Amino acid sequence: MEKKKGLLQYFLTMTKVGCIGFGGGSILIPVIESEVVDKHQFDTKENYNKDVVVASITPGALPVEIAGSFGRRNFGWQGMLLGSVGIAFPGALLTLLLLTAFSMVQDEVLRFVEFMTIGVSAFIMLLLMQYIHTVYKKGIKQGKGQSIKTLIVIFAVFLLVGGKNLNRLLGIEHPPLVYVSTIQLLALVFFFAFYTRGKYSAKHLIVTLLLGGIYLLGTGVAKDVIPSFVVTIDILLMIGFALYGLISSFMKSKKDVNVDLKAVVKDLVVWLAAVGIIGGAVALQHPEVLSYIGKSALSVIMSFGGGDAYLTIAEGIFVEGAMITEQQFFGQLVSVVNILPGSILCKTLTGVGYYIGQNVGGTVFSGMMFAIVGFVTSVAASCGFVSAVYYLYDALIKLNIFQTISKWITPVIAGLLLNIMISLCNQCVNLSDGLGISGSVILVGLLAGYIVDFILVNKFKLNTMLTLVVNLVVTAVIAIVVMM
C-alpha cells in the first residue's frame, strides 16, 4: 500500500514538473532533483546523478529518460512507465491543443503565447541560476581548490558551447574563435574521464590537451587550416585512448560485468507492447502509421545534441521526406514547441504526428490518433535506449572512470545551463518583430522579470510553483494590455 502511495506521488510529481518544465531538457535536471531528492526524498542525490549521467550519454528526450530511469529503480516498471509519461504528457497535450486552436485564431494565440514566453524565460533563468549556485556551493564545501576547479569547468564549458549565442546576443557577426556543440563537448568530457581515470599525471594532461586542442581547433577557428584527415585521425586516437582507459580500469578492478538481461528485456517488452497496442490500433485504419513509427524511432536514435538539434533531424526526416509541409513545420510547429513546457523531442513528434494524421486522414480525429502514436513512440524509444545503458552502467559504476564522470558531470551541466540562459535571451529578442517591441526593451523586461522572481523566492520565500503562477498572471495581464 505504501509503495502504491509513493508511486502515485511520484507520478503526480513528474506531471507537475512537466507542467513547469519550460526551456528544454537540461533545464529540468535541477527541477527534478529538487522534487524527487530534496522535497520527497524518494532516493539519494548520488543515485539521481547516475540517472543524469546515463541519460546524458544516450539518445532521446533527457527529462523523460531521467524520470523513467529514476522511476524504475524506485517503483519498478510501473514507475518507469508513469514517471516518463507524466513528465512528457503536459507539453505534448498543450502542443496538440494549441495546434488545433491555430486553425481558428492563429495570429492572436501565437502572439499572446510569444509574449508569455518572456515571463516564462525569466522564471527559467531563476531556476538555472539556483542550480548553478548549488553546484558552486558544493565545490566550496569540498575545499577552496575544488571550488576554483568547479568555477573553471563551468566557465570553460560555457565559453566552448556558448560563443555563438553570446555573439548573437551582442550583435557580433564574426564567428567565435572556438565553438563546439553540446554533443561534441560531452565527447571531450567522456574522453578525458575515460582516458585519465581520475589520475591527472603529466602524461595524461599532455595527451588530453594535445588531442583535445586539435579537435577543438579542427572543428572551430582552424577548420579551414587543419586538413580533415588530421581531425579524423585525432578523433580515432581519442576513441582509442578512451577505450584503453576503459579496458585498463576494468582489468584493474578485476570485476566481472554482469548485465541483468532479464531486466533489460522486461523494460523493452513494456515499451514495445505500448507502441504495438496503440500503433496497431491506428494501423487498422491507417497503415501509414507504421512508417511514421519507424521514422520516429530512427529520429530518436539520431537525437544527440538537445532539442534544437532534434528539430534539424525532424526537418530532415519528416519535411524532406514529404510527410509534412514546410509551412506546417516551420510556420507553426517550431514556434509552438519552443514556447511550451516539456521535452522538445516529445512535443515535436506529437505535433508531426498530428499533421501527418491530418494529411493522411483529412480530419482532426485522425491527426489526434497519429499524435498519440508519436507521443508514445517518443517516450518508448527514449526509455528503451536508456535501459540497456543503465544496467551496464550499474555493473560498471564502481570503476574509477565512472566515479570521475559522476564528480564532474554537475559542473559541466552548470556550464551548459549558462549557455541555455543566453539562448533564452536570444529567443526572446527574436520575438521583437512579431510583438512590435524592440529587442532592448524585451531584454529589460526579461531582467525585470528575473529580479521579481528572485525577490519572490528569496525574500518572500514563495515556492517555485507559486512563483511561476504569479509570473504567469502578471505576464498575462501585461500581454493583454499591450495587445489591446
Side-chain angles (χ1 to χ4, degrees):
M1 186 67 181
E2 189 67 29
K3 184 177 180 180
K4 288 184 178 180
K5 183 179 179 181
L7 177 60
L8 176 60
Q9 182 63 63
Y10 181 63
F11 171 69
L12 295 176
T13 298
M14 288 300 96
T15 304
K16 170 188 171 183
V17 173
C19 290
I20 64 174
F22 294 90
S26 298
I27 291 173
L28 288 181
I29 292 175
V31 179
I32 299 173
E33 179 182 327
S34 174
E35 290 288 334
V36 301
V37 176
D38 300 334
K39 183 176 179 181
H40 294 290
Q41 299 180 344
F42 289 125
D43 208 337
T44 64
K45 178 174 174 57
E46 289 71 25
N47 281 335
Y48 177 76
N49 283 340
K50 180 172 73 173
D51 296 322
V52 172
V53 172
V54 173
S56 298
I57 62 176
T58 52
L62 182 66
V64 173
E65 292 175 322
I66 293 174
S69 180
F70 189 92
R72 181 208 305 108
R73 185 176 59 253
N74 289 279
F75 305 104
W77 69 267
Q78 298 96 329
M80 174 184 69
L81 183 64
L82 292 179
S84 55
V85 169
I87 200 169
F89 181 71
L93 177 62
L94 289 173
T95 299
L96 185 57
L97 293 177
L98 199 53
L99 292 179
T100 304
F102 273 173
S103 61
M104 297 176 287
V105 285
Q106 178 177 340
D107 293 338
E108 291 79 1
V109 172
L110 182 59
R111 188 164 180 247
F112 178 79
V113 175
E114 286 180 341
F115 206 109
M116 296 295 294
T117 302
I118 300 172
V120 172
S121 296
F123 175 76
I124 293 170
M125 291 171 65
L126 176 70
L127 296 179
L128 301 187
M129 283 304 300
Q130 286 180 330
Y131 181 83
I132 294 168
H133 186 241
T134 300
V135 172
Y136 176 63
K137 285 198 302 183
K138 181 181 177 182
I140 292 178
K141 289 180 180 179
Q142 296 175 354
K144 183 178 179 180
Q146 183 62 33
S147 66
I148 293 174
K149 292 177 184 177
T150 298
L151 281 178
I152 291 174
V153 171
I154 290 174
F155 285 105
V157 168
F158 170 66
L159 291 176
L160 287 173
V161 301
K164 241 183 205 182
N165 280 324
L166 191 58
N167 281 8
R168 191 183 311 158
L169 185 65
L170 298 176
I172 301 174
E173 296 183 358
H174 297 290
L177 293 177
V178 178
Y179 170 74
V180 297
S181 66
T182 299
I183 189 60
Q184 288 174 322
L185 174 78
L186 290 175
L188 285 172
V189 170
F190 287 111
F191 157 65
F192 178 78
F194 276 49
Y195 174 59
T196 65
R197 309 180 297 283
K199 299 176 181 178
Y200 310 123
S201 64
K203 182 183 76 171
H204 286 165
L205 293 177
I206 290 172
V207 171
T208 53
L209 287 174
L210 179 62
L211 295 181
I214 294 174
Y215 178 75
L216 291 174
L217 292 173
T219 56
V221 65
K223 64 181 179 180
D224 296 327
V225 178
I226 299 178
S228 59
F229 76 89
V230 173
V231 178
T232 301
I233 293 174
D234 182 70
I235 293 174
L236 292 175
L237 286 173
M238 289 171 63
I239 294 173
F241 277 113
L243 290 175
Y244 164 78
L246 175 62
I247 295 171
S248 175
S249 180
F250 173 72
M251 296 298 294
K252 188 175 181 179
S253 70
K254 297 180 180 180
K255 291 183 180 292
D256 294 326
V257 178
N258 296 313
V259 180
D260 191 345
L261 291 177
K262 183 178 179 181
V264 175
V265 171
K266 184 178 180 180
D267 288 353
L268 294 179
V269 167
V270 170
W271 294 118
L272 288 173
V275 175
I277 292 171
I278 296 176
V282 177
L284 292 176
Q285 185 173 359
H286 300 292
E288 298 89 345
V289 77
L290 298 178
S291 173
Y292 175 53
I293 292 174
K295 291 184 177 180
S296 296
L298 175 63
S299 72
V300 175
I301 296 175
M302 300 168 61
S303 65
F304 283 107
D308 292 335
Y310 180 74
L311 289 175
T312 303
I313 294 168
E315 187 268 338
I317 292 178
F318 300 113
V319 178
E320 292 183 11
M323 299 184 77
I324 64 174
T325 67
E326 288 190 8
Q327 172 59 28
Q328 288 172 331
F329 188 77
F330 291 107
Q332 299 176 6
L333 183 57
V334 171
S335 298
V336 169
V337 300
N338 278 302
I339 56 180
L340 290 178
S343 161
I344 286 181
L345 187 152
C346 295
K347 290 181 292 185
T348 300
L349 282 182
T350 300
V352 167
Y354 176 76
Y355 285 128
I356 292 176
Q358 275 197 326
N359 296 343
V360 170
T363 66
V364 171
F365 180 75
S366 60
M368 290 183 174
M369 292 299 98
F370 272 70
I372 293 172
V373 172
F375 170 74
V376 173
T377 303
S378 68
V379 175
S382 296
C383 291
F385 288 127
V386 84
S387 290
V389 177
Y390 175 88
Y391 289 111
L392 182 62
Y393 180 96
D394 209 34
L396 300 175
I397 186 61
K398 293 185 179 180
L399 298 183
N400 52 10
I401 54 174
F402 289 98
Q403 293 174 356
T404 302
I405 292 173
S406 298
K407 179 180 179 180
W408 293 111
I409 191 66
T410 49
V412 169
I413 290 172
L416 293 174
L417 294 183
L418 281 177
N419 178 51
I420 289 176
M421 290 176 66
I422 303 299
S423 179
L424 287 172
C425 292
N426 281 320
Q427 288 180 26
C428 289
V429 171
N430 291 339
L431 301 175
S432 59
D433 291 338
L435 296 176
I437 304 173
S438 70
S440 58
V441 172
I442 288 178
L443 286 177
V444 170
L446 189 62
L447 178 61
Y450 174 85
I451 293 173
V452 170
D453 288 343
F454 181 86
I455 292 173
L456 290 175
V457 170
N458 292 278
K459 186 172 181 178
F460 293 96
K461 305 301 180 183
L462 265 65
N463 60 39
T464 54
M465 196 63 181
L466 286 177
T467 302
L468 177 60
V469 170
V470 173
N471 179 303
L472 293 176
V473 170
V474 173
T475 306
V477 171
I478 296 174
I480 292 171
V481 171
V482 172
M483 291 175 65
M484 290 177 62

